[in-house]
Amino acid sequence: MDELVSIIVPVYNAEKFIRETMDCVVAQTYPRWELLLVEDCSRDGTVAVIEEYIRENGEGRIRLIKQPENMGAARARNRGLQEAIGRYIAYLDADDLWLPEKLEKELEFMEQKNAAFAFTGYEFADGNGKGTGKVVHVPETMNYRQALSNTTIFTTTVMFDTRKIAKDLLEMPVIKSEDTALWWKVLRNGYTAYGLDENLVKYRRPRKSLSSNKVEALRRIWNLYRKAEHMGVLSSAWHFCFWAVRAVMRRV
């Protein structure tokens, strides 16, 4: 396979992590990629770190895209989607890490399954990017109804094939937990997500990160059921309970 992969990274105040994240892309065994760093008006030294890295590693494959104002992760990813020229779209958060063979193995898997939407397993990591040994395994497939009560699909593991899914369908809703809202939107339109049950990603979870704020996470998912999917209270509660149980099981 010789198709270009566009890697979209929303960046905000990521000075501490972004160099290591860029390193993990440069280290990929699959060589055909472009890295789109959508900078969302950081207040730290993120831009200087990225610009220095681009000078060191050569321009062209790594592109710094500056937002005119701070607009949030959903709009940053959508800006990256607009700028992307690759057939495949892969998401990577600014503080997460890929194993070197992530792109190569996921692309081979998508070709084997004739998949439009794929995701992989991952391992939780501490603030230093060191794996904790807690690996999240993923199912072989996931449809819309299954996904409503199972948020196993993690952003940094996802890849889409734009020859099979129109780009406009891949625009993230501007809502909290926009990534989960996108998976549901794609699956609701009749697509199936294929899971590669192999740990190819490290999900860094600093203590103060948004994702580690459990109360906020519960609120965001509940709002997705009610506002994004327009589900009734009883149906929302049913799916929410299953989601909560699975979320806890992934972390213990």
Side-chain angles (χ1 to χ4, degrees), residues 7 19-31 33 35 53 57-58 61-62 92 98 100 103:
I7 304 161
R19 177 173 286 272
E20 190 176 4
T21 301
M22 291 186 288
D23 280 342
C24 83
V25 174
V26 172
Q28 289 297 300
T29 57
Y30 185 81
W33 52 261
L35 177 59
Y53 195 94
N57 290 273
R61 302 181 74 192
I62 304 174
L92 173 60
W98 285 345
L103 287 181

PDB file of all heavy atoms in Angstrom, residues 7 19-31 33 35 53 57-58 61-62 92 98 100 103:
ATOM      1  N   ILE A   7      -2.479  12.864   9.227  1.00  0.00           N
ATOM      2  CA  ILE A   7      -2.564  12.745  10.679  1.00  0.00           C
ATOM      3  C   ILE A   7      -2.929  14.105  11.254  1.00  0.00           C
ATOM      4  O   ILE A   7      -2.190  15.077  11.082  1.00  0.00           O
ATOM      5  CB  ILE A   7      -1.228  12.263  11.262  1.00  0.00           C
ATOM      6  CG1 ILE A   7      -0.811  10.941  10.620  1.00  0.00           C
ATOM      7  CG2 ILE A   7      -1.318  12.126  12.786  1.00  0.00           C
ATOM      8  CD1 ILE A   7       0.672  10.628  10.778  1.00  0.00           C
ATOM      9  N   ARG A  19       6.759  17.559  21.370  1.00  0.00           N
ATOM     10  CA  ARG A  19       7.950  17.039  20.696  1.00  0.00           C
ATOM     11  C   ARG A  19       7.948  15.512  20.697  1.00  0.00           C
ATOM     12  O   ARG A  19       8.238  14.887  19.667  1.00  0.00           O
ATOM     13  CB  ARG A  19       9.219  17.568  21.357  1.00  0.00           C
ATOM     14  CG  ARG A  19      10.507  17.005  20.760  1.00  0.00           C
ATOM     15  CD  ARG A  19      11.741  17.670  21.313  1.00  0.00           C
ATOM     16  NE  ARG A  19      11.899  19.006  20.756  1.00  0.00           N
ATOM     17  CZ  ARG A  19      12.549  19.268  19.620  1.00  0.00           C
ATOM     18  NH1 ARG A  19      13.069  18.273  18.911  1.00  0.00           N
ATOM     19  NH2 ARG A  19      12.669  20.495  19.174  1.00  0.00           N
ATOM     20  N   GLU A  20       7.613  14.903  21.819  1.00  0.00           N
ATOM     21  CA  GLU A  20       7.568  13.444  21.893  1.00  0.00           C
ATOM     22  C   GLU A  20       6.476  12.885  20.982  1.00  0.00           C
ATOM     23  O   GLU A  20       6.648  11.835  20.358  1.00  0.00           O
ATOM     24  CB  GLU A  20       7.337  13.000  23.339  1.00  0.00           C
ATOM     25  CG  GLU A  20       7.510  11.517  23.566  1.00  0.00           C
ATOM     26  CD  GLU A  20       7.361  11.114  25.019  1.00  0.00           C
ATOM     27  OE1 GLU A  20       7.051  11.991  25.857  1.00  0.00           O
ATOM     28  OE2 GLU A  20       7.540   9.911  25.312  1.00  0.00           O
ATOM     29  N   THR A  21       5.361  13.603  20.895  1.00  0.00           N
ATOM     30  CA  THR A  21       4.279  13.170  20.006  1.00  0.00           C
ATOM     31  C   THR A  21       4.711  13.237  18.544  1.00  0.00           C
ATOM     32  O   THR A  21       4.437  12.316  17.760  1.00  0.00           O
ATOM     33  CB  THR A  21       3.023  14.033  20.246  1.00  0.00           C
ATOM     34  OG1 THR A  21       2.624  13.899  21.612  1.00  0.00           O
ATOM     35  CG2 THR A  21       1.880  13.597  19.352  1.00  0.00           C
ATOM     36  N   MET A  22       5.390  14.301  18.159  1.00  0.00           N
ATOM     37  CA  MET A  22       5.900  14.394  16.788  1.00  0.00           C
ATOM     38  C   MET A  22       6.932  13.309  16.528  1.00  0.00           C
ATOM     39  O   MET A  22       6.979  12.721  15.438  1.00  0.00           O
ATOM     40  CB  MET A  22       6.479  15.782  16.534  1.00  0.00           C
ATOM     41  CG  MET A  22       5.421  16.888  16.503  1.00  0.00           C
ATOM     42  SD  MET A  22       6.071  18.531  16.034  1.00  0.00           S
ATOM     43  CE  MET A  22       6.996  18.963  17.518  1.00  0.00           C
ATOM     44  N   ASP A  23       7.762  13.014  17.518  1.00  0.00           N
ATOM     45  CA  ASP A  23       8.765  11.956  17.369  1.00  0.00           C
ATOM     46  C   ASP A  23       8.112  10.613  17.041  1.00  0.00           C
ATOM     47  O   ASP A  23       8.631   9.847  16.218  1.00  0.00           O
ATOM     48  CB  ASP A  23       9.567  11.797  18.665  1.00  0.00           C
ATOM     49  CG  ASP A  23      10.668  12.834  18.821  1.00  0.00           C
ATOM     50  OD1 ASP A  23      11.051  13.470  17.817  1.00  0.00           O
ATOM     51  OD2 ASP A  23      11.166  12.995  19.959  1.00  0.00           O
ATOM     52  N   CYS A  24       6.980  10.319  17.678  1.00  0.00           N
ATOM     53  CA  CYS A  24       6.354   9.016  17.450  1.00  0.00           C
ATOM     54  C   CYS A  24       5.785   8.903  16.044  1.00  0.00           C
ATOM     55  O   CYS A  24       5.650   7.798  15.509  1.00  0.00           O
ATOM     56  CB  CYS A  24       5.292   8.717  18.515  1.00  0.00           C
ATOM     57  SG  CYS A  24       3.648   9.438  18.240  1.00  0.00           S
ATOM     58  N   VAL A  25       5.456  10.037  15.422  1.00  0.00           N
ATOM     59  CA  VAL A  25       5.003  10.024  14.027  1.00  0.00           C
ATOM     60  C   VAL A  25       6.197   9.827  13.092  1.00  0.00           C
ATOM     61  O   VAL A  25       6.153   9.002  12.171  1.00  0.00           O
ATOM     62  CB  VAL A  25       4.255  11.327  13.681  1.00  0.00           C
ATOM     63  CG1 VAL A  25       3.924  11.371  12.193  1.00  0.00           C
ATOM     64  CG2 VAL A  25       2.969  11.436  14.507  1.00  0.00           C
ATOM     65  N   VAL A  26       7.255  10.562  13.331  1.00  0.00           N
ATOM     66  CA  VAL A  26       8.461  10.434  12.502  1.00  0.00           C
ATOM     67  C   VAL A  26       9.005   9.010  12.557  1.00  0.00           C
ATOM     68  O   VAL A  26       9.579   8.513  11.570  1.00  0.00           O
ATOM     69  CB  VAL A  26       9.524  11.452  12.963  1.00  0.00           C
ATOM     70  CG1 VAL A  26      10.856  11.223  12.262  1.00  0.00           C
ATOM     71  CG2 VAL A  26       9.037  12.879  12.705  1.00  0.00           C
ATOM     72  N   ALA A  27       8.804   8.316  13.683  1.00  0.00           N
ATOM     73  CA  ALA A  27       9.328   6.962  13.863  1.00  0.00           C
ATOM     74  C   ALA A  27       8.450   5.881  13.236  1.00  0.00           C
ATOM     75  O   ALA A  27       8.794   4.693  13.306  1.00  0.00           O
ATOM     76  CB  ALA A  27       9.491   6.680  15.355  1.00  0.00           C
ATOM     77  N   GLN A  28       7.337   6.244  12.614  1.00  0.00           N
ATOM     78  CA  GLN A  28       6.445   5.241  12.036  1.00  0.00           C
ATOM     79  C   GLN A  28       7.120   4.425  10.936  1.00  0.00           C
ATOM     80  O   GLN A  28       7.856   4.961  10.107  1.00  0.00           O
ATOM     81  CB  GLN A  28       5.187   5.913  11.476  1.00  0.00           C
ATOM     82  CG  GLN A  28       4.243   6.452  12.534  1.00  0.00           C
ATOM     83  CD  GLN A  28       3.676   5.363  13.418  1.00  0.00           C
ATOM     84  OE1 GLN A  28       3.013   4.433  12.959  1.00  0.00           O
ATOM     85  NE2 GLN A  28       3.957   5.470  14.714  1.00  0.00           N
ATOM     86  N   THR A  29       6.845   3.123  10.937  1.00  0.00           N
ATOM     87  CA  THR A  29       7.405   2.249   9.906  1.00  0.00           C
ATOM     88  C   THR A  29       6.723   2.463   8.558  1.00  0.00           C
ATOM     89  O   THR A  29       7.282   2.100   7.522  1.00  0.00           O
ATOM     90  CB  THR A  29       7.254   0.772  10.315  1.00  0.00           C
ATOM     91  OG1 THR A  29       5.867   0.485  10.563  1.00  0.00           O
ATOM     92  CG2 THR A  29       8.069   0.489  11.572  1.00  0.00           C
ATOM     93  N   TYR A  30       5.515   3.020   8.571  1.00  0.00           N
ATOM     94  CA  TYR A  30       4.834   3.369   7.321  1.00  0.00           C
ATOM     95  C   TYR A  30       5.251   4.790   6.947  1.00  0.00           C
ATOM     96  O   TYR A  30       5.034   5.736   7.721  1.00  0.00           O
ATOM     97  CB  TYR A  30       3.314   3.287   7.484  1.00  0.00           C
ATOM     98  CG  TYR A  30       2.560   3.530   6.190  1.00  0.00           C
ATOM     99  CD1 TYR A  30       2.411   2.516   5.255  1.00  0.00           C
ATOM    100  CD2 TYR A  30       2.018   4.786   5.902  1.00  0.00           C
ATOM    101  CE1 TYR A  30       1.729   2.735   4.068  1.00  0.00           C
ATOM    102  CE2 TYR A  30       1.338   5.004   4.722  1.00  0.00           C
ATOM    103  CZ  TYR A  30       1.195   3.983   3.800  1.00  0.00           C
ATOM    104  OH  TYR A  30       0.535   4.211   2.614  1.00  0.00           O
ATOM    105  N   PRO A  31       5.853   4.985   5.767  1.00  0.00           N
ATOM    106  CA  PRO A  31       6.485   6.267   5.455  1.00  0.00           C
ATOM    107  C   PRO A  31       5.593   7.330   4.820  1.00  0.00           C
ATOM    108  O   PRO A  31       5.959   8.507   4.802  1.00  0.00           O
ATOM    109  CB  PRO A  31       7.588   5.857   4.473  1.00  0.00           C
ATOM    110  CG  PRO A  31       6.999   4.683   3.736  1.00  0.00           C
ATOM    111  CD  PRO A  31       6.166   3.951   4.758  1.00  0.00           C
ATOM    112  N   TRP A  33       3.033   9.688   5.050  1.00  0.00           N
ATOM    113  CA  TRP A  33       2.134  10.432   5.927  1.00  0.00           C
ATOM    114  C   TRP A  33       2.418  11.918   5.831  1.00  0.00           C
ATOM    115  O   TRP A  33       3.490  12.353   5.421  1.00  0.00           O
ATOM    116  CB  TRP A  33       2.270   9.957   7.383  1.00  0.00           C
ATOM    117  CG  TRP A  33       3.669   9.921   7.921  1.00  0.00           C
ATOM    118  CD1 TRP A  33       4.486   8.834   8.024  1.00  0.00           C
ATOM    119  CD2 TRP A  33       4.439  11.041   8.408  1.00  0.00           C
ATOM    120  NE1 TRP A  33       5.700   9.188   8.549  1.00  0.00           N
ATOM    121  CE2 TRP A  33       5.700  10.539   8.793  1.00  0.00           C
ATOM    122  CE3 TRP A  33       4.191  12.401   8.549  1.00  0.00           C
ATOM    123  CZ2 TRP A  33       6.705  11.352   9.319  1.00  0.00           C
ATOM    124  CZ3 TRP A  33       5.199  13.231   9.065  1.00  0.00           C
ATOM    125  CH2 TRP A  33       6.437  12.688   9.443  1.00  0.00           C
ATOM    126  N   LEU A  35       1.703  15.278   8.590  1.00  0.00           N
ATOM    127  CA  LEU A  35       1.310  15.592   9.957  1.00  0.00           C
ATOM    128  C   LEU A  35       0.785  17.020  10.003  1.00  0.00           C
ATOM    129  O   LEU A  35       1.513  17.969   9.708  1.00  0.00           O
ATOM    130  CB  LEU A  35       2.512  15.432  10.897  1.00  0.00           C
ATOM    131  CG  LEU A  35       2.295  15.782  12.375  1.00  0.00           C
ATOM    132  CD1 LEU A  35       1.188  14.935  12.985  1.00  0.00           C
ATOM    133  CD2 LEU A  35       3.601  15.600  13.152  1.00  0.00           C
ATOM    134  N   TYR A  53      11.074  22.178  15.602  1.00  0.00           N
ATOM    135  CA  TYR A  53      11.052  20.782  15.178  1.00  0.00           C
ATOM    136  C   TYR A  53      10.953  20.681  13.654  1.00  0.00           C
ATOM    137  O   TYR A  53      11.624  19.846  13.032  1.00  0.00           O
ATOM    138  CB  TYR A  53       9.866  20.068  15.826  1.00  0.00           C
ATOM    139  CG  TYR A  53       9.936  18.555  15.744  1.00  0.00           C
ATOM    140  CD1 TYR A  53      10.481  17.811  16.769  1.00  0.00           C
ATOM    141  CD2 TYR A  53       9.429  17.872  14.633  1.00  0.00           C
ATOM    142  CE1 TYR A  53      10.547  16.426  16.710  1.00  0.00           C
ATOM    143  CE2 TYR A  53       9.484  16.491  14.556  1.00  0.00           C
ATOM    144  CZ  TYR A  53      10.046  15.773  15.603  1.00  0.00           C
ATOM    145  OH  TYR A  53      10.114  14.401  15.520  1.00  0.00           O
ATOM    146  N   ASN A  57      13.607  18.856  11.160  1.00  0.00           N
ATOM    147  CA  ASN A  57      13.202  17.639  10.455  1.00  0.00           C
ATOM    148  C   ASN A  57      12.781  17.879   9.005  1.00  0.00           C
ATOM    149  O   ASN A  57      12.322  16.947   8.344  1.00  0.00           O
ATOM    150  CB  ASN A  57      12.053  16.965  11.221  1.00  0.00           C
ATOM    151  CG  ASN A  57      12.516  16.375  12.527  1.00  0.00           C
ATOM    152  OD1 ASN A  57      12.965  15.239  12.595  1.00  0.00           O
ATOM    153  ND2 ASN A  57      12.430  17.164  13.604  1.00  0.00           N
ATOM    154  N   GLY A  58      12.907  19.099   8.546  1.00  0.00           N
ATOM    155  CA  GLY A  58      12.570  19.384   7.163  1.00  0.00           C
ATOM    156  C   GLY A  58      11.112  19.740   6.987  1.00  0.00           C
ATOM    157  O   GLY A  58      10.238  19.162   7.620  1.00  0.00           O
ATOM    158  N   ARG A  61       6.400  17.590   5.158  1.00  0.00           N
ATOM    159  CA  ARG A  61       5.598  16.511   5.739  1.00  0.00           C
ATOM    160  C   ARG A  61       4.890  16.949   7.015  1.00  0.00           C
ATOM    161  O   ARG A  61       3.873  16.383   7.387  1.00  0.00           O
ATOM    162  CB  ARG A  61       6.477  15.304   6.050  1.00  0.00           C
ATOM    163  CG  ARG A  61       7.211  14.741   4.851  1.00  0.00           C
ATOM    164  CD  ARG A  61       8.036  13.545   5.250  1.00  0.00           C
ATOM    165  NE  ARG A  61       7.205  12.384   5.478  1.00  0.00           N
ATOM    166  CZ  ARG A  61       7.635  11.264   6.061  1.00  0.00           C
ATOM    167  NH1 ARG A  61       8.867  11.193   6.510  1.00  0.00           N
ATOM    168  NH2 ARG A  61       6.829  10.245   6.204  1.00  0.00           N
ATOM    169  N   ILE A  62       5.473  17.930   7.705  1.00  0.00           N
ATOM    170  CA  ILE A  62       4.887  18.422   8.952  1.00  0.00           C
ATOM    171  C   ILE A  62       4.425  19.853   8.723  1.00  0.00           C
ATOM    172  O   ILE A  62       5.214  20.726   8.361  1.00  0.00           O
ATOM    173  CB  ILE A  62       5.905  18.375  10.101  1.00  0.00           C
ATOM    174  CG1 ILE A  62       6.458  16.951  10.276  1.00  0.00           C
ATOM    175  CG2 ILE A  62       5.268  18.857  11.399  1.00  0.00           C
ATOM    176  CD1 ILE A  62       7.572  16.845  11.304  1.00  0.00           C
ATOM    177  N   LEU A  92      -4.638  11.940  16.227  1.00  0.00           N
ATOM    178  CA  LEU A  92      -3.644  11.771  17.288  1.00  0.00           C
ATOM    179  C   LEU A  92      -3.754  12.978  18.198  1.00  0.00           C
ATOM    180  O   LEU A  92      -3.697  14.120  17.724  1.00  0.00           O
ATOM    181  CB  LEU A  92      -2.240  11.685  16.673  1.00  0.00           C
ATOM    182  CG  LEU A  92      -1.043  11.663  17.620  1.00  0.00           C
ATOM    183  CD1 LEU A  92      -1.106  10.472  18.570  1.00  0.00           C
ATOM    184  CD2 LEU A  92       0.262  11.628  16.810  1.00  0.00           C
ATOM    185  N   TRP A  98       2.011   6.917  19.642  1.00  0.00           N
ATOM    186  CA  TRP A  98       1.822   5.718  18.832  1.00  0.00           C
ATOM    187  C   TRP A  98       3.052   4.831  18.914  1.00  0.00           C
ATOM    188  O   TRP A  98       4.180   5.337  18.961  1.00  0.00           O
ATOM    189  CB  TRP A  98       1.632   6.098  17.357  1.00  0.00           C
ATOM    190  CG  TRP A  98       0.304   6.671  17.008  1.00  0.00           C
ATOM    191  CD1 TRP A  98      -0.841   6.652  17.749  1.00  0.00           C
ATOM    192  CD2 TRP A  98      -0.028   7.338  15.785  1.00  0.00           C
ATOM    193  NE1 TRP A  98      -1.865   7.257  17.061  1.00  0.00           N
ATOM    194  CE2 TRP A  98      -1.396   7.696  15.850  1.00  0.00           C
ATOM    195  CE3 TRP A  98       0.698   7.667  14.642  1.00  0.00           C
ATOM    196  CZ2 TRP A  98      -2.044   8.364  14.816  1.00  0.00           C
ATOM    197  CZ3 TRP A  98       0.054   8.332  13.608  1.00  0.00           C
ATOM    198  CH2 TRP A  98      -1.304   8.676  13.695  1.00  0.00           C
ATOM    199  N   PRO A 100       5.657   2.430  16.926  1.00  0.00           N
ATOM    200  CA  PRO A 100       6.184   2.672  15.565  1.00  0.00           C
ATOM    201  C   PRO A 100       5.397   2.007  14.440  1.00  0.00           C
ATOM    202  O   PRO A 100       5.324   2.533  13.333  1.00  0.00           O
ATOM    203  CB  PRO A 100       7.616   2.126  15.648  1.00  0.00           C
ATOM    204  CG  PRO A 100       7.982   2.270  17.086  1.00  0.00           C
ATOM    205  CD  PRO A 100       6.713   1.987  17.843  1.00  0.00           C
ATOM    206  N   LEU A 103       0.613   2.832  12.219  1.00  0.00           N
ATOM    207  CA  LEU A 103       0.022   3.120  10.916  1.00  0.00           C
ATOM    208  C   LEU A 103       0.090   1.906   9.992  1.00  0.00           C
ATOM    209  O   LEU A 103      -0.888   1.563   9.323  1.00  0.00           O
ATOM    210  CB  LEU A 103       0.718   4.312  10.260  1.00  0.00           C
ATOM    211  CG  LEU A 103       0.442   5.696  10.838  1.00  0.00           C
ATOM    212  CD1 LEU A 103       1.199   6.754  10.040  1.00  0.00           C
ATOM    213  CD2 LEU A 103      -1.041   6.020  10.847  1.00  0.00           C
TER     214      LEU A 103
END
